[in-house]
């Protein structure tokens, strides 16, 4: 069936560097996308979202890019810190967020000191 | 704002018993809550959509008679795992949404271990 997937299961970056986490989605009906951060043993924490009528959205140290042509989503984290180490999930939704979420497989981001 | 709690945070039970998990939205009302399940080193999988005042909607492959959902109020949804078996051991996470669309906020999760 249709799903959301990630290119890399593990990403290791040096503290202070920028990181980019990628996500591919296949459901063309998706119109709302969210990035979550999950630390071990905890629930997902909202990072940033974007609707399909936008191609870029910025938050504090984070930027989400959406390319609907190739159905690709990315999360950029600037100046990574040790606290950024976690698993990051992209999630997609239809009807502007009215439905339950379909999650990607997750990328484990490791920040090296 | 947008805080979601779950209780208990972890539970160990014997095979064949039932376990109830509560999900509460603490500072907002939620007409819709969602229940997810996550196995170790895997992603979250949507189990069901909990609607206040009506029956829950279950995803394909999720047994509604095994996973009973009750959305008793605008701030509380419960998930009861009936006749639990070891394969039901998992991390159960709920989410709630302050508006009819948009961002879902997640609870801290409940770890269930069935012996």
């Amino acid at each position: 069936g249709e799903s959301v997937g990630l290119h890399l299961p593990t990403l290791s970056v040096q503290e202070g560097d920028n990181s980019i986490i990628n996500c591919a989605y296949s459901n063309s009906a998706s119109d709302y996308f969210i990035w979550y951060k999950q630390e071990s043993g905890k629930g997902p924490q909202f990072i940033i979202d974007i609707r399909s009528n936008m191609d870029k959205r910025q938050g504090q140290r984070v930027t989400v890019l959406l390319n609907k042509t190739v159905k690709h989503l990315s999360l950029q984290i600037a100046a990574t810190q040790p606290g950024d180490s976690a698993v990051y999930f992209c999630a997609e939704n239809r009807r502007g967020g009215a439905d339950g979420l379909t999650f990607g497989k997750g990328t484990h981001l490791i920040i090296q000191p | 704002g947008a805080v979601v709690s779950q209780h208990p945070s972890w539970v160990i039970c014997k095979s064949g018993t039932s376990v109830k998990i509560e999900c509460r939205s603490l500072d907002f009302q939620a007409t819709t809550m969602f229940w997810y399940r996550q196995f170790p080193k895997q992603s979250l999988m949507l189990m069901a959509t909990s609607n206040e005042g009506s029956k829950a909607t279950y995803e394909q492959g999720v047994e509604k008679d095994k996973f009973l959902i009750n959305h008793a109020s605008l701030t509380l949804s419960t998930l009861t795992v009936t006749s639990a078996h070891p394969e039901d051991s998992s991390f159960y996470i709920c989410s709630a949404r302050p508006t009819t669309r948009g961002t879902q906020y997640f609870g801290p999760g409940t770890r269930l271990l069935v012996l």
Side-chain angles (χ1 to χ4, degrees), chain B residues 10-28:
Chain B
W10 59 270
V11 58
I12 302 173
C13 68
K14 293 181 179 180
S15 184
T17 61
S18 295
V19 175
K20 179 186 285 188
I21 302 170
E22 293 185 348
C23 176
R24 294 182 185 272
S25 55
L26 299 185
D27 51 1
F28 64 95

Side-chain angles (χ1 to χ4, degrees), chain A residues 32 34 36 38 41-46 49 51 89 93-101 103-106, chain B residues 32 34 36 38 41-46 49 91 93 95 97 100-109 111:
Chain A
Y32 180 57
I34 315 101
Y36 287 95
Q38 186 179 31
K42 298 183 179 180
Q45 175 187 353
F46 171 84
D49 60 359
R51 298 192 181 278
F89 292 98
N93 202 276
R94 294 167 295 176
R95 299 194 298 142
D99 295 337
L101 297 170
F103 280 82
K105 294 181 180 179
Chain B
T32 304
F34 302 89
Y36 297 81
Q38 184 178 33
K41 299 190 183 301
Q42 294 188 22
S43 188
L44 285 77
M45 295 295 293
L46 177 66
T49 301
F91 194 45
I93 313 171
S95 71
R97 195 176 55 208
T100 56
R101 298 174 186 271
T103 306
Q104 294 179 24
Y105 295 92
F106 284 82
R111 190 163 301 282

Side-chain angles (χ1 to χ4, degrees), chain A residues 75-94:
Chain A
L75 175 69
Q76 301 176 4
I77 304 175
T80 53
Q81 304 169 357
D84 294 331
S85 293
V87 178
Y88 290 80
F89 292 98
C90 63
E92 58 95 6
N93 202 276
R94 294 167 295 176

Side-chain angles (χ1 to χ4, degrees), chain A residues 4-22:
Chain A
V4 181
L6 293 170
H7 296 310
L8 298 173
T10 302
L11 177 63
S12 183
V13 299
Q14 291 293 126
E15 182 179 351
D17 287 352
N18 299 333
S19 66
I20 299 176
I21 301 172
N22 296 301

